[in-house]
Amino acid sequence: MSAEMDALTVVNQLRDLAADPLNRRAIVEDQGCLPGLILFFDHPNPQVVYSALLAVRYLAECRANREKMKGELGMMLSLQNVMQKSTSPGETKLLASEIYEILQSAGKEEAEQAEAAAASCRRKAQFFLGSNNKRAKTVVLHIDGLDDSTRRSLCEEALLKIRGVISFTFQMAVKRCVVRIRSDLKAEALGTAINSTKVMTAQQVVKTESGGELMVPFQEDSAVPVEENTDIPDYLPEDESPSQEPDKAVTRVGSITDGMGWLSTAANFLTRSFYW
């Protein structure tokens, strides 16, 4: 196995483990995982860089992690380097910018927590926060036909072709997908892409004034032209992860402690080897 493939495999495992909220504290507390992810920010393969950023974005969802992440050696500087690097794809720069803004405001959030309690609760209900970033927004989709890993892969391919999609996660048990997109991208573009699979149809889930949920179908006669994404790196295929349960983001079967031990070993191995 080549050094680059080792890096792809490890960063994909890190990303998938970080997608599970139950793992996020343990990953950040581990001595090898966070420094390993920061090393990935400077990897020559843009696919590795994007997956590492996505993993860190997941970790930043946990408020208790943010202060430690902000103070981790090289974190903020490496994020700035990705944002300023001329060869970084647009979506990669935007994702790095979101993480930077979240971590930069970590101390301020603690001071404002009492005043913003109600708003904080609403933000926690979203999979991706970033409400202070006006360049991005979150769209929740209910997808009829999202029944198995094959359909999930089709859905991934459709979404990744759209310019302006930053990241997404699936909730297979309830047939939903939470998508983070640029603010100038219309939600209808997501519906058009999902409907183009011919085996799935999407509806947007919106909050009502009473706090309930309403499913709004996308009009069949109002398909929005989708601008295809060409500069973002290919998403790592699902079959490169040993996950056997589509409802769970964790890729290794076993306890969280087992997963963290594997990650620490992998991160330390990459740190010592300096593949790139």
Side-chain angles (χ1 to χ4, degrees):
M1 183 178 289
S2 68
E4 183 166 292
M5 184 54 68
D6 283 339
L8 285 172
T9 301
V10 171
V11 76
N12 194 44
Q13 294 275 4
L14 284 161
R15 181 203 65 201
D16 289 345
L17 279 167
D20 188 338
L22 295 177
N23 292 337
R24 292 171 186 166
R25 289 296 301 276
I27 291 175
V28 171
E29 293 299 324
D30 187 277
Q31 293 183 354
C33 294
L34 203 55
L37 282 169
I38 294 172
L39 285 176
F40 283 132
F41 291 171
D42 195 38
H43 198 281
N45 184 344
Q47 183 181 6
V48 173
V49 176
Y50 188 78
S51 290
L53 286 169
L54 191 53
V56 172
R57 184 64 177 85
Y58 286 134
L59 297 177
E61 288 298 307
C62 177
R63 289 180 178 274
N65 284 343
R66 295 177 187 176
E67 200 67 44
K68 180 175 176 60
M69 292 173 67
K70 180 181 179 181
E72 186 68 35
L73 182 65
M75 173 67 79
M76 304 304 281
L77 180 60
S78 295
L79 288 171
Q80 285 181 317
N81 289 340
V82 174
M83 292 156 54
Q84 296 168 2
K85 198 172 184 179
S86 60
T87 56
S88 295
E91 266 63 34
T92 299
K93 289 184 178 181
L94 184 56
L95 187 53
S97 175
E98 276 204 355
I99 298 168
Y100 186 89
E101 291 179 15
I102 289 173
L103 298 184
Q104 190 69 18
S105 61
K108 299 176 183 177
E109 289 180 357
E110 293 298 325
E112 298 171 355
Q113 189 171 5
E115 296 180 11
S120 176
C121 291
R122 288 195 296 270
R123 287 197 299 272
K124 286 179 181 177
Q126 302 173 4
F127 184 80
F128 283 105
L129 307 184
S131 58
N132 293 328
N133 189 341
K134 294 182 173 58
R135 294 174 296 172
K137 60 185 177 182
T138 300
V139 177
V140 180
L141 300 176
H142 178 84
I143 304 174
D144 291 317
L146 186 63
D147 301 321
D148 52 37
S149 58
T150 301
R151 296 285 179 88
R152 171 176 167 167
S153 295
L154 281 175
C155 189
E156 286 178 351
E157 292 173 7
L159 291 174
L160 285 166
K161 290 179 181 178
I162 305 174
R163 181 180 295 276
V165 169
I166 301 170
S167 53
F168 51 81
T169 188
F170 291 94
Q171 300 170 351
M172 297 294 290
V174 291
K175 299 185 179 182
R176 289 191 179 183
C177 182
V178 183
V179 191
R180 189 73 173 158
I181 62 176
R182 287 195 322 226
S183 59
D184 58 349
L185 179 64
K186 293 183 178 180
E188 286 80 0
L190 305 178
T192 299
I194 299 299
N195 295 344
S196 70
T197 64
K198 307 298 184 184
V199 293
M200 292 178 285
T201 56
Q203 301 178 78
Q204 185 175 1
V205 182
V206 298
K207 291 286 186 181
T208 64
E209 292 182 358
S210 60
E213 291 185 346
L214 179 65
M215 292 190 188
V216 181
F218 297 108
Q219 299 297 325
E220 294 183 5
D221 57 351
S222 61
V224 174
V226 177
E227 184 180 358
E228 188 164 335
N229 199 358
T230 57
D231 62 353
I232 195 169
D234 294 334
Y235 194 71
L236 197 60
E238 193 69 25
D239 58 7
E240 296 199 22
S241 165
S243 175
Q244 301 297 321
E245 297 180 297
D247 289 350
K248 298 182 179 179
V250 180
T251 57
R252 288 178 62 84
V253 178
S255 68
I256 293 176
T257 303
D258 293 339
M260 293 309 101
W262 178 87
L263 284 169
S264 180
T265 301
N268 289 333
F269 174 70
L270 286 172
T271 303
R272 290 194 307 269
S273 300
F274 287 102
Y275 283 140
W276 51 93

